[in-house]
Amino acid sequence: MSLEMSNTNGGNGIQRSQDKRELLCLLKLLKKYQLKSTEELLCQEANVSAADLSAISETDVQQVLGAALGLGEGEKEPPRPAPVETKQTAVTEANAAEALAKFIGDDSFDAQQHEQAYEDLRSFVEDSLDIYKHELSMVLYPILVQIYFKMLAIGQKEKARAFIEKYKSDLDGYYIEGLFNLLLLTKPEELLDNDLVVAMEMDKFVIRMSRDSHSLFKRHIQDRRQEVVADIVAKYLHFDTYEGMARNKLQCVATAGSHIGEAKRQDNKMRVYYGLLKEVDFQTLTTPAPAPEEEDDDPDVPDRPKKKKPKKDPLLSKKSKSDPNAPSIDRIPLPELKDSDKLLKLKALREASKRMALGRDQLPSAVFYTVLNSQQGVTCAEISEDSTMVACGFADSSIRIWSLTPAKLRTLKEADALRELDKESADINVRMLDDRSGETTRNFLGHTGPVYRCAFAPEMNLLLSCSEDSTIRLWSLLTWSCVVTYRGHVYPVWDVRFAPHGYYFVSCSYDKTARLWSTDSNQALRVFVGHLSDVDCVQFHPNSNYVATGSSDRTVRLWDNLTGQSVRLMTGHKGSVSALAFSTCGRYLASGSTDNNIIIWDLSNGSLVTTLLRHTSTVTTITFSRDGTLLAAAGLDNNLTLWDFHKVTDDYISNHITVSHHQDENDEDVYLLRTFPSKNSPFVTLHFTRRNLLMCVGLFKS
């Protein structure tokens, strides 16, 4: 069969023929290495038949491979190089000049001219009207940093340091940490490995500015003496302008602080289905099947009493309203619930019916578990959804699980004993466990580095853990052994979380990525790429369709599990993001940071709702009460704070704010309900039980 295509456009026909030949060779290669699923998908996309493939010989494949590798006819493929480390080796001083040329822009770089241009720009900002001054001052930091990079790139280390020291006092305090890290750079080649440098090279620094302020700034840089500033602005800055009055200082500071400036409005335009999925119909599960009706016209039994229909449980007969903001149930594939899973959900629902309603006048009781005499050092802690177990990870790579109830941690019976059990019995999950094997605590060993996070599966039969050894392990809580080791990250894995509906889990790492996995595959389903530094924490949305990530680049992102795209980018933290939690309704996201603040975000549009100020050290853990009325947060300052989240949302909805303008900060005591200090124990994790009892885990610091 001829593969030639009609040459209606001169050389284009030949090119298309060559492209198709290469495609067929690629398909032949996939078939050779038995990559069947990839081959079928590609054949379907390219509309290629089996007859087309049969016309390609092994010689054709070798010729195409040789051309791709740059080999002449008859040459052999060169030997493959030995595997190298993923991280690039440092650039030597000899070739640093070529690699750093992009920072200078041209050979005639004049440090004195750039410094004078910055001085003029600074004076222009200072002399501006107060209404525009705060927005115009946002351009100083990225321009100052770019001039510093250029000075350092040509080897003027002392001049670059003096330049930063001279002007750093003009900048807001949250930029000082970044400038301090830049001053640690001593050689030009070190620029290439710095997160902030790479961030500014990959993405333009975004500044949100009113049209009037932007017009004033453009007029200033059109001056001949400001050519060097104009070049920096064109290459490294992006202005997201809006109509209306310029923002005040409080509004500018609220969303500033990240490595890439502020989020563009375009970053938050996509629709987010933040509603909750419709729950399973429990009534059909608990109501027995109706008995076959007997005929009423039996002459022998004329006065047969009518049978009463079984009463419906009012708790289970409540039908959930359809939420217009909820995704469709089949938007992403979710595991089908087994009868045992439905019974667990039914038990949880009955227990939730006894939940205490919390509020300003009814605060929760709190119980604090303190880990004492831990020579290994507790690195993480997690309480199971049903509040029956707690798992702690340690710096010596071990994991320990305790039972929080009188029931002991039992293992499965032997295979022979399991065969004798009636698999249809209602209590099969209990009878399959060996009572003689019960223990109050269990240990897991397998990681080769500190364990940074543990996560229980919703069914409470599996546990995930992640470690410095760059692996994720799945442990069985029935056999008390490691079931799977997931490898994909190439650096330490900081966090891992199970989806609320099970089956899926998400991880994040020092390699600047987050990854979506399923328990039945050792390959990641999605790789979320976009953060410019470590991804420090992750959290699943309550409907399992989205994942939130917090990073050392000071941003929070929301990712769509279906498409793998970033659908929300939220800026406002002045330090690394260390904790995340979704509200029970799914619309709001709370994030804590090393800047000691908690920020509430509205996922419907990506706007900042409010900032909660009270902690004096890093916020390490955040959680919402089961009824969504309270927010609990704790950190390294040994304080637990309770916030009136119901009032936060009421104030936000009644005084709705636009994305461009942030409301004035409220007095911190308006939303703060109570602060509980521990004696000398930083909080590691918080957890609300189904009845709204607050459970805390901490490590005693002697």
Side-chain angles (χ1 to χ4, degrees), residues 354-650:
K354 304 172 186 176
R355 178 182 299 155
M356 177 188 290
L358 301 180
R360 182 171 287 273
D361 300 323
Q362 183 67 56
L363 297 181
S365 298
V367 57
F368 190 28
Y369 294 95
T370 306
V371 182
L372 298 171
N373 305 321
S374 172
Q375 303 300 323
Q376 305 90 353
V378 176
T379 50
C380 65
E382 191 74 14
I383 298 175
S384 63
E385 196 276 336
D386 63 353
S387 312
T388 59
M389 293 178 285
V390 60
C392 289
F394 294 89
D396 67 351
S397 75
S398 66
I399 301 167
R400 178 168 287 188
I401 298 176
W402 286 271
S403 173
L404 298 180
T405 65
K408 293 189 176 182
L409 305 175
R410 296 172 294 170
T411 189
L412 278 178
K413 292 180 178 177
E414 296 293 333
D416 293 338
L418 288 174
R419 289 193 194 98
E420 298 173 2
L421 296 179
D422 179 11
K423 298 181 178 60
E424 303 301 323
S425 61
D427 59 345
I428 181 65
N429 288 335
V430 177
R431 296 177 62 192
M432 63 196 290
L433 299 175
D434 188 354
D435 292 330
R436 296 171 300 176
S437 64
E439 296 181 13
T440 56
T441 181
R442 295 272 186 176
N443 287 334
F444 284 141
L445 298 174
H447 284 294
T448 57
V451 179
Y452 291 127
R453 178 68 66 188
C454 298
F456 286 97
E459 305 85 9
M460 273 73 72
N461 60 352
L462 297 170
L463 178 80
L464 279 170
S465 63
C466 62
S467 167
E468 186 187 50
D469 63 13
S470 76
T471 66
I472 304 160
R473 286 179 178 261
L474 184 68
W475 309 86
S476 170
L477 301 184
L478 297 176
T479 61
W480 302 101
S481 60
C482 181
V483 181
V484 189
T485 301
Y486 301 95
R487 305 179 190 275
H489 291 290
V490 292
Y491 288 109
V493 184
W494 300 131
D495 200 358
V496 65
R497 300 283 181 175
F498 254 114
H501 294 83
Y503 184 64
Y504 298 108
F505 64 92
V506 64
S507 61
C508 64
S509 168
Y510 177 75
D511 62 14
K512 306 178 187 178
T513 69
R515 297 173 190 240
L516 179 70
W517 310 75
S518 64
T519 51
D520 60 1
S521 172
N522 59 5
Q523 297 291 326
L525 306 178
R526 296 283 186 274
V527 179
F528 303 120
V529 179
H531 282 294
L532 303 168
S533 189
D534 300 34
V535 184
D536 299 312
C537 53
V538 288
Q539 193 64 263
F540 255 102
H541 190 277
N543 65 23
S544 298
N545 279 252
Y546 298 94
V547 163
T549 55
S551 169
S552 293
D553 65 10
R554 304 178 178 181
T555 66
V556 177
R557 286 180 182 264
L558 187 73
W559 307 86
D560 189 343
N561 292 336
L562 180 65
T563 63
Q565 291 181 327
S566 172
V567 292
R568 290 290 179 269
L569 171 60
M570 295 161 282
T571 62
H573 279 297
K574 313 301 185 283
S576 301
V577 182
S578 53
L580 295 168
F582 283 97
S583 64
T584 52
C585 66
R587 177 174 175 178
Y588 301 99
L589 173 67
S591 58
S593 168
T594 56
D595 62 9
N596 313 338
N597 297 337
I598 303 161
I599 297 181
I600 310 297
W601 312 93
D602 181 0
L603 298 180
S604 66
N605 53 27
S607 64
L608 190 154
V609 176
T610 191
T611 303
L612 306 176
L613 312 169
R614 173 48 68 119
H615 287 278
T616 57
S617 188
T618 299
V619 178
T620 55
T621 177
I622 303 173
T623 189
F624 285 89
S625 63
R626 294 295 180 111
D627 55 3
T629 56
L630 296 188
L631 170 69
L636 300 182
D637 58 358
N638 304 341
N639 282 321
L640 165 66
T641 54
L642 296 177
W643 304 85
D644 189 347
F645 187 69
H646 182 68
K647 181 173 174 55
V648 170
T649 53
D650 279 355

Side-chain angles (χ1 to χ4, degrees), residues 78-250:
R80 295 181 180 179
V84 295
E85 294 183 3
T86 306
K87 190 171 181 180
Q88 295 180 347
T89 55
V91 183
T92 60
E93 292 188 27
N95 61 9
E98 183 179 350
L100 293 164
K102 59 184 176 181
F103 290 110
I104 305 171
D106 56 63
D107 298 332
S108 58
F109 174 76
D110 186 345
Q112 187 63 39
Q113 182 187 6
H114 279 71
E115 185 171 350
Q116 184 58 48
Y118 182 82
E119 179 67 40
D120 293 344
L121 176 64
R122 179 171 165 268
S123 301
F124 161 73
V125 172
E126 283 295 319
D127 297 339
S128 300
L129 294 174
D130 288 345
I131 192 173
Y132 304 121
K133 183 182 295 184
H134 304 300
E135 283 194 338
L136 291 173
S137 65
M138 304 294 285
V139 304
L140 293 177
Y141 170 71
I143 293 175
L144 174 80
V145 168
Q146 288 298 334
I147 294 174
Y148 172 77
F149 290 162
K150 291 175 182 293
M151 289 180 177
L152 193 59
I154 62 172
Q156 296 187 8
K157 172 188 162 187
E158 296 302 325
K159 194 171 186 65
R161 179 182 290 271
F163 176 69
I164 290 285
E165 293 287 353
K166 181 178 179 180
Y167 295 110
K168 71 178 183 181
S169 58
D170 300 334
L171 304 177
D172 290 298
Y174 49 83
Y175 286 130
I176 299 302
E177 181 188 350
L179 292 178
F180 177 76
N181 291 334
L182 291 179
L183 290 174
L184 297 177
L185 303 176
T186 57
K187 298 178 182 178
E189 56 269 20
E190 291 177 357
L191 286 168
L192 303 177
D193 294 325
N194 185 272
D195 282 345
L196 183 58
V197 179
V198 174
M200 288 191 162
E201 279 295 310
M202 290 177 62
D203 292 285
K204 289 188 175 184
F205 194 90
V206 179
I207 299 173
R208 191 174 299 153
M209 189 177 283
S210 68
R211 198 168 296 280
D212 293 340
S213 300
H214 189 230
S215 298
L216 283 173
F217 179 70
K218 282 201 300 186
R219 248 178 279 150
H220 172 71
I221 63 174
Q222 284 170 358
D223 183 7
R224 186 170 183 79
R225 291 178 301 173
Q226 290 291 312
E227 284 182 352
V228 292
V229 171
D231 290 342
I232 292 175
V233 169
K235 189 174 181 183
Y236 298 106
L237 270 63
H238 172 84
F239 291 94
D240 189 14
T241 57
Y242 63 90
E243 298 290 346
M245 187 182 294
R247 296 178 297 167
N248 60 34
K249 184 170 180 62
L250 199 60

